[in-house]
Amino acid sequence: MKPKKVATTPIDGQKPGTSGLRKKTRTFMEPHYLENYIQATWNGIGGVEGKTLVLGGDGRHFNDRAAQVVLRMAAAGGAERVIVGRNALLSTPAASHLIRKNKASGGIILSASHNPGGPDGDFGVKYNVANGGPAPENVTRKIFKATQELKKYFILDAQDVDLDTLGETTLGKTVVEVVDPTADYQELMAELFDFDAIKALFAEGFRIRFDAMHAVTGPYAKAILEDTLGAAPGSVVNATPLPDFGEGHPDPNPIWAKELMDVMMGEDAPDFGAASDGDGDRNMIVGRGIYVTPSDSLAAIAANAKHIPSYAKEMRGVARSMPTSRALDRVAEALELDCYETPTGWKFFGNLLDAGAATLCGEESAGTGSDHVREKDGLWAVLFWLNVLAVRKISVADLMADHWKTYGRNYYSRHDYEAVDAEAAQKLVDDLRDRLDSLPGQDFAGLTVETADEFAYDDPVDGSRSEGQGLRITTSQGGRIVLRLSGTGTEGATLRVYLERVETDPERLHDDPQEALASVIAAAEAIAGIKDRTGRDAPDVIT
Ligand code: G16
């Protein structure tokens, strides 16, 4: 079997965004599209000859076909071994773990995360590096450059590999090892958490509903929560991964996981509800009658790490992305932990975790994780919460009430304007950037601007600088407004407006977040003229 050389030309727009390359599925299915990007990835990382790679995806439409292409191109490039999840399935955190455990050079994850799937949905390809984390900017820049210079790619002329059977086969000279996607991950979770305590909790009748949203975590959650920890059969719902996620939007937030929200706000709600996204790295936590925002979940996890032996032992610092609420900062201050603020994108946590500067990190976009892998990890967050509840014997609502009483409450909400005209969105941001210096001291909707700047990040570990990472404005009354354009959308632009206000008055800790934030929302509108410039009356998604 000899690699076939295929002549090609560069394809425009193959620029990795916040998390790999995401495009419409049909775009990825066009001739040469995927092949070009994979070859550019190989070129950008200095080839794959003699390397071990990990491969898996979230099972969305085209996942199976794309995996075969990646395998044939890895073989054509001379990879020594490719470790693949059975049927080309791997959750993103499980892929990260396999890369680390096997000391692989890196891995390809086929996923567009929380974006819808199916032929009319989205597809994505992400390259993760040897530490298990998403490729940092110095690598994605090289990949992008390679896409612009590409003239040929190499692919083995071979039959499909049987990915349904565990064990080793060969493709050319490359060993293809098909592994159980859940086994190693489950072992890691058992090392981190007190499974006996969680088993005892379920044995006492504690009820959970985990919504896998027809995505990749279904098999993981069933194996761990039901089969191992003893949650009642049927606790994990929508557990079979489907190529179109059951025509749903596998994004764990109150809008897209409405079914779960309705159950949790209803009369016979279970004790605990959770959901995860397409590739299993995001999570949503809900208690009976209470939704926990991702920013609050992160802060609560940090505050309660002392109840979990593997984390109590050594908590280094914590980290959050800039738009994430500053609830974490308040916990870090109280616990005397360093707290890092990074740009949006899990890749920015990699250096801090590798250097041992941070143990826990998280984002407002429903990602939480720790140094156990180099990705955010949905099921990990769920197990963390369950472990804490098992030790503290407390409800989610009481835990949060206690948390806010201790640290104050950072009311928080994100307003998304989706598929807006890209030029209009860019102009809104550019115009506001130009006015930033003039804002401090001015009043908007009753709030006075205190500071206004554009976030830039100087990585404390490798000294690299990332500019243009979002506009941030702080106001009187503990308010903060952040505006940035999403780097994961596939249609027009998505404008994200992040709104926050700190409340420490014990009488005002249980208000409706949109009401508690009304003044900040009005100030954001007065400052940026969002409705007028986007032509929208209201955000498409409020989380
Ligand atoms: C990715 C990144 C996250 C980021 C999120 C949203 O998540 O890994 O770090 O917070 O996108 O990014 P943006 O605001 O640019 O759309 P995922 O779960 O989509 O891989």
Side-chain angles (χ1 to χ4, degrees):
M1 262 183 281
K2 276 194 65 184
K4 191 169 74 174
K5 181 163 110 180
V6 181
T8 189
T9 48
I11 297 174
D12 271 352
Q14 291 199 323
K15 185 172 188 188
T18 309
S19 183
L21 183 68
R22 284 190 197 165
K23 297 284 173 193
K24 289 283 162 208
T25 310
R26 289 195 197 282
T27 304
F28 261 105
M29 290 167 73
E30 282 166 12
H32 307 307
Y33 196 91
L34 173 67
E35 290 83 349
N36 265 30
Y37 190 67
I38 296 297
Q39 186 66 55
T41 303
W42 294 173
N43 295 355
I45 61 169
V48 291
E49 186 158 9
K51 291 182 176 172
T52 294
L53 298 172
V54 166
L55 169 65
D58 61 13
R60 67 181 59 224
H61 187 82
F62 194 50
N63 187 91
D64 48 354
R65 300 310 316 145
Q68 296 288 348
V69 169
V70 175
L71 281 174
R72 290 207 291 275
M73 292 187 68
E80 184 177 318
R81 175 180 289 266
V82 185
I83 300 164
V84 200
R86 185 170 48 216
N87 294 322
L89 289 180
L90 278 179
S91 77
T92 287
S96 179
H97 177 51
L98 278 180
I99 294 172
R100 296 167 66 75
K101 188 174 173 191
N102 292 287
K103 302 201 170 17
S105 300
I108 293 280
I109 301 174
L110 304 169
S111 171
S113 189
H114 56 290
N115 297 21
D120 296 317
D122 294 343
F123 193 79
V125 174
K126 191 163 81 151
Y127 180 71
N128 280 30
V129 293
N131 74 353
E137 282 187 331
N138 62 352
V139 177
T140 54
R141 267 196 293 269
K142 284 186 195 151
I143 295 174
F144 179 49
K145 186 154 179 283
T147 69
Q148 297 171 306
E149 296 165 348
L150 205 70
K151 294 198 177 75
K152 55 183 183 294
Y153 62 82
F154 295 93
I155 186 160
L156 214 66
D157 220 349
Q159 301 276 318
D160 280 0
V161 180
D162 170 14
L163 295 180
D164 196 21
T165 311
L166 297 182
E168 290 187 4
T169 49
T170 53
L171 184 61
K173 294 200 178 86
T174 302
V175 177
V176 177
E177 181 185 351
V178 181
V179 298
D180 177 345
T182 58
D184 295 282
Y185 178 81
Q186 174 159 351
E187 207 176 280
L188 177 64
M189 292 303 114
E191 281 166 25
L192 295 175
F193 298 112
D194 185 348
F195 271 24
D196 287 338
I198 305 175
K199 270 185 206 164
L201 182 72
F202 284 128
E204 285 160 16
F206 185 91
R207 288 189 302 139
I208 177 177
R209 182 180 173 96
F210 181 98
D211 192 338
M213 302 187 87
H214 303 290
V216 79
T217 45
Y220 294 84
K222 269 219 169 279
I224 297 175
L225 298 174
E226 290 187 15
D227 303 345
T228 305
L229 296 172
S235 298
V236 180
V237 298
N238 300 323
T240 306
L242 299 175
D244 63 352
F245 307 117
E247 295 186 359
H249 200 131
D251 193 357
N253 64 44
I255 309 287
W256 299 115
K258 182 167 183 309
E259 198 185 301
L260 175 67
M261 285 297 287
D262 289 347
V263 172
M264 295 307 298
M265 301 302 141
E267 271 189 9
D268 188 33
D271 301 286
F272 187 80
S276 62
D277 70 332
D279 61 332
D281 55 3
R282 297 185 176 205
N283 74 89
M284 175 168 105
I285 302 295
V286 206
R288 188 183 292 141
I290 179 175
Y291 162 67
V292 183
T293 67
S295 294
D296 271 349
S297 174
L298 172 64
I301 280 176
N304 286 282
K306 58 177 182 259
H307 297 293
I308 298 184
S310 59
Y311 289 94
K313 206 165 65 231
E314 194 181 18
M315 270 291 283
R316 290 147 176 186
V318 292
R320 63 164 173 82
S321 68
M322 183 275 283
T324 302
S325 96
R326 295 160 298 171
L328 179 69
D329 306 36
R330 307 171 78 81
V331 174
E333 198 185 337
L335 302 183
E336 295 180 7
L337 293 170
D338 285 337
C339 182
Y340 298 88
E341 185 176 44
T342 61
T344 296
W346 202 264
K347 58 192 172 206
F348 291 102
F349 293 132
N351 279 346
L352 297 173
L353 295 167
D354 282 351
T359 301
L360 296 172
C361 33
E363 300 182 291
E364 53 66 40
S365 60
T368 350
S370 81
D371 55 3
H372 67 291
V373 288
R374 292 295 179 273
E375 287 278 6
K376 51 193 188 274
D377 190 343
L379 206 44
W380 170 89
V382 172
L383 290 166
F384 203 115
W385 267 90
L386 288 173
N387 201 154
V388 169
L389 297 179
V391 174
R392 289 189 60 186
K393 310 250 178 264
I394 188 174
S395 71
V396 174
D398 287 347
L399 187 147
M400 285 319 300
D402 180 50
H403 185 93
W404 293 328
K405 216 167 85 191
T406 310
Y407 300 100
R409 178 169 181 183
N410 288 57
Y411 282 104
Y412 187 80
S413 182
R414 189 178 93 191
H415 291 190
D416 287 343
Y417 298 80
E418 294 180 340
V420 213
D421 177 69
E423 241 173 73
Q426 191 60 54
K427 191 153 180 354
L428 185 157
V429 171
D430 291 345
D431 289 352
L432 182 55
R433 180 186 297 112
D434 290 344
R435 289 168 44 225
L436 283 177
D437 287 348
S438 68
L439 293 180
Q442 287 195 55
D443 291 342
F444 295 92
L447 295 180
T448 309
V449 172
E450 288 176 354
T451 63
D453 68 358
E454 180 164 40
F455 182 54
Y457 179 61
D458 291 301
D459 186 306
V461 180
D462 67 13
S464 61
R465 184 171 173 84
S466 302
E467 294 184 332
Q469 298 294 336
L471 308 180
R472 50 180 189 180
I473 295 162
T474 60
T475 71
S476 51
Q477 297 177 30
R480 187 177 75 143
I481 300 160
V482 173
L483 281 102
R484 62 178 280 278
L485 298 178
S486 156
T488 58
T490 57
E491 234 181 298
T494 294
L495 173 70
R496 302 205 194 283
V497 186
Y498 309 82
L499 306 141
E500 178 183 359
R501 186 173 71 76
V502 186
E503 179 62 73
T504 48
D505 177 350
E507 302 299 314
R508 306 304 308 266
L509 295 176
H510 296 274
D511 292 343
D512 174 81
Q514 299 305 315
E515 283 166 24
L517 288 166
S519 57
V520 185
I521 295 169
E525 178 56 37
I527 292 170
I530 300 161
K531 287 183 184 152
D532 196 33
R533 282 163 168 269
T534 59
R536 302 284 169 84
D537 289 343
D540 297 283
V541 177
I542 295 180
T543 58

